[in-house]
């Protein structure tokens, strides 16, 4: 062990002497990209193998009653692994990365190196209606976190490595390197600076090349644009944008509502029973909700709606037009319910794939209705494709990610203008009803969300309890002027907190207020401190956020504010120390 430590130390010394920071970060970003590319490949192949095994069960079972049971089995296996193997909660993927950036200095738990991939594979393979993108992102981020700690990277470089791994995960899964970088900027909240751009490009490119090497050049959504954008379709693309924005708001609110409901269950077994069986019932009625739904998405993009009826109780009514519209609308609205049930009952996965699934079906049902009742012909396949961009823009609050991802993975750059229009209107609409995305809402509620506002981010990284100054001389309310004078002679502060026997702050005495009494020795024993003190009009708690503290400094104009917890004196916080800490944090936070 000692040899390993000495070897690592020698390597660090060699790196500092021979590699500049930029060169080393660039090289490390390539390593991260390759690692994440391999992880994405392993996860996808593992899921395919498991699905093949589950498929054998499906083939031997007549009808679709088995769909009620399979999701419960997958969630049960997931919960058992989390409880007895991982022995630690497996948090949702992308929110987990955002939380680590906001509150853990970019550090993720070691079990994330494997736990998210293993549990999500079980959840998805047995029909859990979630995606694999989030688990891939958090697994890649865990490896970046380990590398960052090993190489003793500072905070800002660690966060850059997490962003590189997140971009690499999306690039490897979708083979869309530019969209992956946009995702890192919009969702992971990394600043796109001249320093960060090159590592993001290298990591994303390395992940794509790794994915090409192991999985070939095939894309998830093979799509051929047969008719490009025409100006007369503009009103319909705007309408689709508004519709996908409303569906995105519904998606966000339903997800939060169901998640909050499941958090009230005290027993994990209750979650499995209620959530798993409800999910199984949904999959029984609507088999297209089974798993990630990529096959259904591709069928929908090709204009083949047979996935609505396959293994379904509605199979014998597949020629009914009204039923097709109802089924398209139903699975569009119920996908988020199925996803939330899978996650709430103990499954592990992401919401990226469900967002794409919902988007393609919303676009399809919109196009089908316009085609039947509209005044002109529109390309239904194009609208199904662009509906995916609308949902990504709305659910993730990431319009650029929606635009570039759908354009990149589908080869649909001929539809770039309608992609922009629909994504923009979707984003505008959803912001009116759901100001925070699914990824950000829970973190924002706990005030743990990082944003592109550097000032707010730095303040959120600062903690009141670490800035409290306790070198003030305290006095008892019954102390005399003589006691106060003696305290003044030894203190290096001009403010004196008055604290009783139980530790409660009763007031304060400022030296400027009693300067005229210091030399009146005849008053030394007759005047009490409690007659000179003034109550603390403004105070803060160690639980307060630094944003509140700064606002209080600005509102009061004071240079020192008392810190009180439950009425008891803790110390003071000074404007000067807050500003000094802010400057120090800012220097570690940004390259600019």
């Amino acid at each position: 062990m000692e040899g390993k430590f000495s070897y690592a130390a020698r390597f660090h010394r060699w790196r500092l002497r021979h590699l500049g920071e930029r060169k080393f970060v660039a090289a490390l970003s390539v390593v991260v990209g390759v690692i994440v590319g391999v992880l994405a490949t392993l996860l996808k192949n593992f899921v395919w193998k498991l699905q093949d095994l589950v498929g054998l069960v499906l083939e031997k079972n007549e009808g679709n009653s088995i769909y009620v049971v399979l999701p419960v089995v997958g969630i049960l296996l997931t919960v058992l692994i989390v409880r007895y193997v991982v022995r630690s909660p497996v948090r949702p993927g992308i929110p987990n990365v955002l939380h680590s950036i906001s509150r853990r200095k970019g550090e993720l738990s070691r079990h994330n190196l494997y736990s998210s991939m293993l549990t999500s594979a079980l959840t998805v393979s047995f029909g859990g209606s979630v995606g694999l993108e989030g688990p891939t992102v958090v697994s890649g981020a865990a490896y970046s976190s380990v590398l960052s700690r090993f190489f003793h990277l500072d905070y800002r470089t660690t966060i850059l490595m997490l962003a590189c791994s997140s971009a690499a995960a999306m690039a490897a899964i979708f083979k869309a390197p530019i969209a992956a970088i946009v995702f890192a900027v919009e969702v992971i909240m990394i600043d796109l600076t001249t320093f960060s751009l090159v590592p993001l490009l290298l990591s994303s490119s390395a992940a794509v090349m790794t994915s090409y090497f192991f999985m070939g050049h095939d894309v998830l959504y093979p799509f051929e644009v047969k008719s490009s954008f025409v100006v007369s379709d503009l009103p319909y693309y705007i309408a689709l944008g508004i519709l996908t924005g409303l569906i995105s708001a519904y998606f966000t609110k339903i997800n939060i509502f169901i998640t909050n409901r499941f958090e009230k269950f005290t027993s994990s077994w209750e979650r499995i029973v209620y959530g798993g069986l409800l999910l199984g019932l949904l999959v029984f009625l609507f088999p297209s909700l089974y798993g990630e739904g990529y096959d259904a998405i591709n069928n929908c993009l090709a204009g083949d709606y047979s996935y609505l009826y396959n293994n379904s109780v509605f199979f014998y009514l597949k020629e009914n037009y009204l039923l097709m519209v109802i089924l398209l609308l139903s699975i569009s609205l119920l996908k988020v319910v199925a996803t939330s049930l899978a996650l709430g009952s103990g499954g592990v996965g992401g919401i990226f794939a469900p967002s794409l699934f919902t988007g393609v079906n919303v676009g399809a049902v919109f196009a089908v209705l316009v085609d039947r009742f509209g005044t002109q012909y529109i390309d239904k396949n194009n609208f199904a494709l662009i509906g995916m961009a609308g949902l990504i823009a709305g659910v993730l609050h990431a319009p650029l990610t929606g635009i570039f991802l759908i354009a990149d993975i589908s080869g649909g750059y001929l539809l770039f203008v309608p992609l922009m229009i629909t994504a923009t209107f979707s984003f505008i609409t959803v912001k009116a009803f759901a100001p925070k995305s699914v990824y950000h809402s829970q973190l924002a509620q706990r005030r743990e969300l990082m944003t592109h506002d550097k000032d707010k981010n730095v303040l959120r990284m600062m903690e009141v309890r670490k800035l409290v100054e306790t070198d003030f001389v305290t006095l008892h309310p019954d102390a005399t002027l003589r006691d106060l004078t003696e305290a003044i002679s030894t203190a290096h502060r001009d403010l004196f907190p008055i604290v009783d026997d139980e530790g409660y702050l009763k007031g304060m005495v400022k030296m400027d207020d009693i300067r005229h009494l210091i030399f009146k020795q005849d008053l030394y024993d007759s005047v009490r401190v409690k007659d000179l003190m003034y109550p603390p009009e403004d105070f803060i708690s160690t639980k307060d956020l630094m944003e509140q503290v700064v606002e209080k400094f600005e509102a009061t104009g004071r240079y020192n504010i008392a810190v009180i917890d439950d009425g008891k004196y803790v110390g003071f916080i000074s404007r000067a120390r807050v500003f000094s800490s802010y400057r120090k944090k800012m220097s570690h936070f940004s390259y600019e």
Side-chain angles (χ1 to χ4, degrees), residues 139-177:
S139 297
Y143 280 89
S144 290
S145 177
V146 169
L147 289 173
S148 297
R149 291 199 298 272
F150 178 79
F151 292 118
H152 304 294
L153 301 183
D154 58 21
Y155 173 79
R156 58 188 177 184
T157 310
T158 298
I159 302 311
L160 176 56
M161 287 299 102
L162 294 185
C164 285
S165 64
S166 301
M170 301 304 290
I173 292 170
F174 294 106
K175 297 177 182 175

Side-chain angles (χ1 to χ4, degrees), residues 236 240 243 299-305 307-309 320-329 332 359-385:
Y236 294 108
L240 179 60
L243 175 62
N299 287 338
C300 187
L301 288 174
D304 177 9
Y305 303 126
Y307 65 93
L308 296 171
Y309 310 101
N320 188 302
Y321 172 83
L322 179 60
L323 178 63
M324 180 187 71
V325 173
I326 293 174
L327 288 177
L328 279 172
L329 183 60
S332 299
V360 76
N361 285 285
V362 168
V365 72
F366 177 85
V368 166
L369 291 174
V370 170
D371 185 60
R372 172 60 71 92
F373 301 107
T375 58
Q376 69 181 62
Y377 168 79
I378 63 170
D379 191 313
K380 293 191 286 292
N381 296 351
N382 285 357
F383 275 80
L385 176 75

Side-chain angles (χ1 to χ4, degrees), residues 103 444 446-451 453-464 540 543-555 578 582:
R103 282 292 179 266
R446 299 195 298 266
R447 294 181 178 269
E448 295 175 350
L449 176 64
M450 303 291 275
T451 70
D453 188 328
K454 291 182 183 178
D455 183 64
K456 288 185 177 181
N457 290 340
V458 172
L459 289 176
R460 288 171 184 173
M461 292 171 62
M462 298 166 61
E463 299 179 51
V464 174
I540 60 175
K543 299 177 183 178
D544 288 343
L545 300 174
M546 284 308 304
E547 292 174 80
Q548 298 171 296
V549 175
V550 171
E551 289 173 1
K552 189 153 290 188
F553 272 121
E554 291 177 350
V578 169
Y582 174 88

Side-chain angles (χ1 to χ4, degrees), residues 475-488 494-498 506-520 523-537:
L475 293 168
H476 193 274
D478 292 330
T480 62
L481 181 59
R482 182 184 300 279
D483 298 324
L484 177 58
T485 304
E486 292 176 358
I488 291 173
D494 61 356
L495 189 62
F496 299 89
I498 311 304
K506 296 300 183 180
M508 296 175 287
V509 175
K510 187 184 267 188
M511 185 170 175
D512 287 345
D513 296 337
I514 53 91
R515 196 181 300 274
H516 62 288
L517 298 175
I518 292 178
F519 299 104
K520 296 182 179 181
L523 301 177
Y524 275 16
D525 296 317
S526 58
V527 175
R528 300 287 178 181
V529 169
K530 61 184 177 183
D531 300 323
L532 303 174
M533 69 182 185
Y534 63 91
E537 297 177 1

Side-chain angles (χ1 to χ4, degrees), residues 393-419:
V395 174
L396 274 64
H397 284 211
L400 291 176
T401 300
I403 294 167
F404 282 98
L405 179 66
I406 302 306
D408 214 1
I409 63 180
S410 65
Y413 277 94
L414 290 174
L415 298 175
F416 207 77
V417 172
L419 282 170

Side-chain angles (χ1 to χ4, degrees), residues 223-236:
F223 185 87
E224 181 181 353
V225 179
K226 296 181 179 179
S227 60
S228 58
F229 171 65
V230 292
V231 177
S232 59
D233 287 344
L234 177 61
Y236 294 108

